[in-house]
Amino acid sequence: MAISAAAIAPLRRRCALAAPHIARRGVSALAVVPRLGGARPGAFAPSGLQLSRRFSAASNAVKVLASEIKHEEEQYEQAKEIKNFLKNSPFKLVETPGDVNMKLERELGEQKVCIEWQLTNPFDPEGDAEGGEGGEEMSKEATELTVTVENKKGGGMIFYCSTQTGEDHRFVIGSVRTYATAEEKDRSSSYHGPEFEDLDDKLQEALDEYLAELGMCTEICDFVDAMAVDKEQREYVQWLKVAKSVLEA
């Protein structure tokens, strides 16, 4: 199940909108070069003309921001993959406004499973420079994630993975880290394990099947990819609103 083009079309349009907006937001320099031998009183105080230009630039930026906010909110529509997954999955989504991190959590017998990832920039600078195909190309971008399974004693394993295109197997494992205690888990210098592809083939297959038992599947990967882009879009709109409120103050 690929991410729908409709879900990321608004994001592509943002690139086209950004350039003219930036071009109209020139702000006059207000720096004053001090005189040698000491500045005269009031030398650094902005003149009436400078203050007028400053407020004029801020007012113009507020108008542009308001226009961009209106456009983004009118075009935004959450991907159906997100709605369907949250409705039917045993996992619970945990996210905080303003935080780039997201996670899915569930209890599985005596174990706790946690899938974590971050928002994703929907634009590919190299693809844009080469005149890529936009939404179709962006939908193929991989999302890095970790899958942590932990027992009641605090021991566990962390699978470092990334999503990939395809229908049968939507994720790849980069490495697997193990820890016996919570203290060892939090230690930054702990051994992260060998490269997954260097492991014996039978061990790779066994660990891959274990991840599938924990819930890793095509639907999870579709959700992670879609949510990474959706989160970035929502945070962008919030960023616009905060910038507007600051300039209006």
Side-chain angles (χ1 to χ4, degrees):
M1 182 186 299
I3 302 173
S4 59
I8 46 183
L11 300 173
R12 301 201 308 273
R13 286 191 284 272
R14 189 196 311 164
C15 276
L17 289 168
H21 288 175
I22 293 173
R24 294 196 295 268
R25 288 213 304 264
V27 180
S28 301
L30 301 178
V32 180
V33 179
R35 299 170 58 192
L36 294 175
R40 59 182 174 79
F44 300 103
S47 66
L49 178 59
Q50 288 172 326
L51 286 173
S52 176
R53 288 176 177 174
R54 179 189 302 171
F55 292 130
S56 176
S59 176
N60 180 59
V62 167
K63 292 179 181 178
V64 175
L65 286 165
S67 176
E68 181 73 353
I69 291 169
K70 182 176 184 294
H71 169 79
E72 294 295 336
E73 290 184 333
E74 288 177 348
Q75 297 298 317
Y76 173 73
E77 181 180 358
Q78 194 169 64
K80 64 180 183 297
E81 290 89 353
I82 295 175
K83 299 176 182 178
N84 292 339
F85 179 87
L86 293 175
K87 181 179 179 181
N88 302 309
S89 175
F91 282 91
K92 175 185 177 182
L93 174 66
V94 179
E95 66 161 329
T96 303
D99 193 324
V100 301
N101 299 298
M102 294 164 282
K103 61 182 177 180
L104 290 169
E105 294 181 331
R106 70 173 295 191
E107 298 286 339
L108 192 62
E110 295 294 313
Q111 298 175 317
K112 179 179 180 180
V113 182
C114 181
I115 302 173
E116 299 176 271
W117 73 104
Q118 294 185 336
L119 58 78
T120 299
N121 186 341
F123 306 113
D124 180 4
E126 295 182 2
D128 291 341
E130 297 173 1
E133 291 298 322
E136 184 65 23
E137 291 299 320
M138 287 188 291
S139 67
K140 296 179 181 178
E141 291 298 311
T143 305
E144 295 184 353
L145 64 138
T146 61
V147 182
T148 303
V149 54
E150 191 169 286
N151 58 36
K152 298 295 184 180
K153 297 181 179 180
M157 303 174 71
I158 304 176
F159 293 79
Y160 295 89
C161 310
S162 65
T163 61
Q164 66 175 0
T165 56
E167 298 181 358
D168 297 331
H169 201 278
R170 285 275 280 111
F171 66 91
V172 292
I173 304 172
S175 62
V176 184
R177 178 185 171 193
T178 61
Y179 56 93
T181 64
E183 181 182 359
E184 186 177 341
K185 177 184 178 182
D186 295 334
R187 191 183 304 144
S188 60
S189 58
S190 295
Y191 178 56
H192 278 220
E195 292 294 323
F196 189 74
E197 61 182 13
D198 293 337
L199 296 175
D200 181 82
D201 290 346
K202 291 184 179 180
L203 181 54
Q204 290 186 42
E205 183 178 351
L207 291 175
D208 193 84
E209 291 177 353
Y210 178 62
L211 265 189
E213 283 190 0
L214 297 179
M216 278 299 292
C217 58
T218 296
E219 288 73 23
I220 287 280
C221 294
D222 288 341
F223 175 79
V224 166
D225 282 340
M227 195 66 185
V229 176
D230 181 86
K231 175 72 168 176
E232 198 281 337
Q233 171 67 8
R234 288 183 285 114
E235 291 300 333
Y236 170 65
V237 172
Q238 181 60 23
W239 177 86
L240 290 171
K241 291 179 178 180
V242 172
K244 179 174 176 290
S245 68
V246 170
L247 291 172
E248 288 176 327

